[in-house]
């Protein structure tokens, strides 16, 4: 009787591969090991919604900042270009630090949460620089030869503060959004792997649409209607991005940090240098290699052993 019930339970679980894999992991790992419940497409509206609204709010604004700095803050073209080069450079380098913190300490969920709030604050402060007259220089008319006043230190400080929050936001969002979406599917099942591929397709489709809308509609409003409205709309869109992300909190799979690959690379380089004169015995080669297990107890090795990269040193001179 017990065997018939067990067979019926297995047939029911195999109808849902995600549930079956989770229950198998529970049996192998013991009662103390948490069961991962992959929600898959149920979590995708919140993940893709967060990313889409974030791109709608930031892409168009970032590409039109040069016009904003030269027309509203009366910066020289050279100074404005230099400032934007620094801003874009730090924005591209910040994901390296964000990825390290995410992989080592925070995890992708908390990194994305913190970065989304930071981007929202950056867009909000940038909108205030256009909406509040005291936060930008007095308008002037260059055509009549009128000398335009420079921005005050306080005005520049507020502007730089908005850029700082935007850099922090980009540093956390860029390295984590794709990986976080893929975490919602079970990679050990066929349905999960198909879901990951479909998620990538939808991600790049919505990214392209958001970029087209942001770089046309948003820029038109900023340049032809009002900078306050043109910056306020992206700020509102960024608020929706945060709202979408936090609404799906109870559905997300949160993968625990396993450590940054950068740390492992540094360890390998340090160990290789310190042991450069050590001779490796032909016996027990597999036991002597540093190959720590992953958090997933079902996978004991991240990479298979290979002799392809061995270096043979001739001591004969």
């Amino acid at each position: 009787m017990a065997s018939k019930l067990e067979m019926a339970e297995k047939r029911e679980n195999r109808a849902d591969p995600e549930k079956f894999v989770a229950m198998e992991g529970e049996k192998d790992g013991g009662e103390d090991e948490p069961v991962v419940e992959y929600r898959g497409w149920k979590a995708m509206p919140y993940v893709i919604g967060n990313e889409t609204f974030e791109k709608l709010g930031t892409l168009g604004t970032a590409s039109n900042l040069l016009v904003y700095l030269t027309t509203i803050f009366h910066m020289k073209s050279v100074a404005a270009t230099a400032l934007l080069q620094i801003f874009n450079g730090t924005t591209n380098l910040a994901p390296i630090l964000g990825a390290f913190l995410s992989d080592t300490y925070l995890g992708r969920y908390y990194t994305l949460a913190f970065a989304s709030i930071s981007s929202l604050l950056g867009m909000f402060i940038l909108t205030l620089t256009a909406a509040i007259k005291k936060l930008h220089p007095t308008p002037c008319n260059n055509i009549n030869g009128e000398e335009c006043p420079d921005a005050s230190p306080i005005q520049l400080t507020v502007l730089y503060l908005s850029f700082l929050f935007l850099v922090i936001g980009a540093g956390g969002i860029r390295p984590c959004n794709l990986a976080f979406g893929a975490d919602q599917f079970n990679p050990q099942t066929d349905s999960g792997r198909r879901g990951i591929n479909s998620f990538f397709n939808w991600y790049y489709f919505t990214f392209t649409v958001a970029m087209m809308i942001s770089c046309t509609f948003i820029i038109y409003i900023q340049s032809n209607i009002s900078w306050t409205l043109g910056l306020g709309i992206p700020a509102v869109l960024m608020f929706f991005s945060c709202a979408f992300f936090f609404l799906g909190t109870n559905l997300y799979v949160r993968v625990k940090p396993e450590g940054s690959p950068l740390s492992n690379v540094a360890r390998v380089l340090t160990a290789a240098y310190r042991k450069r004169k050590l001779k490796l015995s032909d016996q027990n080669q597999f036991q002597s290699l540093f190959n720590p297990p992953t958090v997933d107890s079902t996978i004991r090795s991240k990479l298979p052993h290979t002799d392809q990269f061995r270096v043979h040193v001739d001591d004969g001179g």
Side-chain angles (χ1 to χ4, degrees):
M1 184 66 179
S3 60
K4 290 183 178 180
L5 291 175
E6 184 177 359
M7 292 177 62
E9 182 182 358
K10 286 187 176 181
R11 283 197 299 269
E12 181 182 356
N13 292 334
R14 288 189 182 278
D16 186 356
E18 309 283 344
K19 181 179 179 182
F20 177 76
V21 172
M23 293 188 67
E24 286 294 314
E26 181 182 13
K27 292 178 181 178
D28 296 338
E31 296 180 356
D32 295 334
E33 185 176 349
V35 178
V36 178
E37 185 177 358
Y38 294 93
R39 301 300 180 94
W41 285 107
K42 292 182 179 180
M44 285 304 100
Y46 305 100
V47 176
I48 296 179
N50 165 258
E51 178 63 21
T52 302
F53 281 109
E54 189 269 335
K55 294 303 181 211
L56 281 171
T58 58
L59 285 177
T61 300
S63 61
N64 205 28
L65 282 176
L66 180 62
V67 179
Y68 181 67
L69 295 179
T70 54
T71 57
I72 302 301
F73 273 79
H74 306 158
M75 288 187 179
K76 303 295 183 181
S77 297
V78 176
T81 302
L83 175 60
L84 290 182
Q85 289 293 337
I86 296 174
F87 171 71
N88 292 327
T90 52
T91 300
N92 292 328
L93 290 175
I96 299 177
L97 178 60
F100 174 79
L101 295 175
S102 173
D103 294 338
T104 308
Y105 302 106
L106 301 177
R108 297 186 184 104
Y109 172 80
Y110 289 107
T111 303
L112 281 172
F114 180 79
S116 297
I117 295 175
S118 179
S119 293
L120 175 60
L121 289 175
M123 292 302 304
F124 178 72
I125 296 174
L126 187 62
T127 303
L128 292 181
T129 61
I132 300 177
K133 295 182 179 180
K134 292 184 178 181
L135 294 182
H136 63 259
T138 305
C140 66
N141 190 358
N142 282 326
I143 299 178
N144 299 329
E146 181 181 352
E147 185 177 355
C148 297
D150 296 331
S152 66
I154 296 178
Q155 294 169 346
L156 290 177
T157 300
V158 176
L159 178 67
Y160 297 157
L161 182 63
S162 68
F163 286 176
L164 175 61
F165 280 116
L166 290 175
V167 168
I168 295 174
I173 292 175
R174 291 186 180 183
C176 295
N177 49 13
L178 265 177
F180 183 74
D183 288 342
Q184 310 311 311
F185 298 93
N186 191 340
Q188 299 180 5
T189 63
D190 292 335
S191 62
R193 288 188 287 268
R194 289 194 301 268
I196 293 175
N197 293 331
S198 298
F199 163 69
F200 288 156
N201 293 334
W202 278 105
Y203 173 88
Y204 286 109
F205 172 75
T206 55
F207 173 83
T208 304
V209 172
M211 181 172 61
M212 292 175 57
I213 296 175
S214 182
C215 292
T216 54
F217 179 70
I218 300 296
I219 289 180
Y220 176 81
I221 294 177
Q222 292 173 350
S223 301
N224 297 279
I225 300 179
S226 169
W227 278 103
T228 301
L229 181 62
L231 293 175
I233 292 176
V236 173
L237 292 174
M238 195 62 223
F239 172 79
F240 284 125
S241 174
C242 293
F244 265 88
F245 179 78
F246 288 109
L247 283 174
T249 296
N250 294 331
L251 298 176
Y252 297 144
V253 173
R254 308 183 193 181
V255 177
K256 295 181 180 180
E258 298 182 10
S260 174
L262 298 178
S263 300
N264 293 333
V265 171
R267 289 180 182 179
V268 170
L269 294 177
T270 303
Y273 176 79
R274 296 176 65 179
K275 299 181 180 181
R276 62 189 183 279
K277 297 182 180 180
L278 182 65
K279 294 183 178 180
L280 182 63
S281 174
D282 294 334
Q283 298 179 352
N284 299 327
Q285 289 188 2
F286 293 99
Q287 287 77 8
S288 62
L289 296 176
F290 176 73
N291 195 9
T294 61
V295 174
D296 188 353
S297 60
T298 62
I299 304 176
R300 294 298 179 184
S301 176
K302 291 184 178 181
L303 293 174
H305 178 264
T306 177
D307 295 330
Q308 182 179 357
F309 303 104
R310 293 188 65 181
V311 178
H312 298 277
V313 180
D314 187 6
D315 296 334

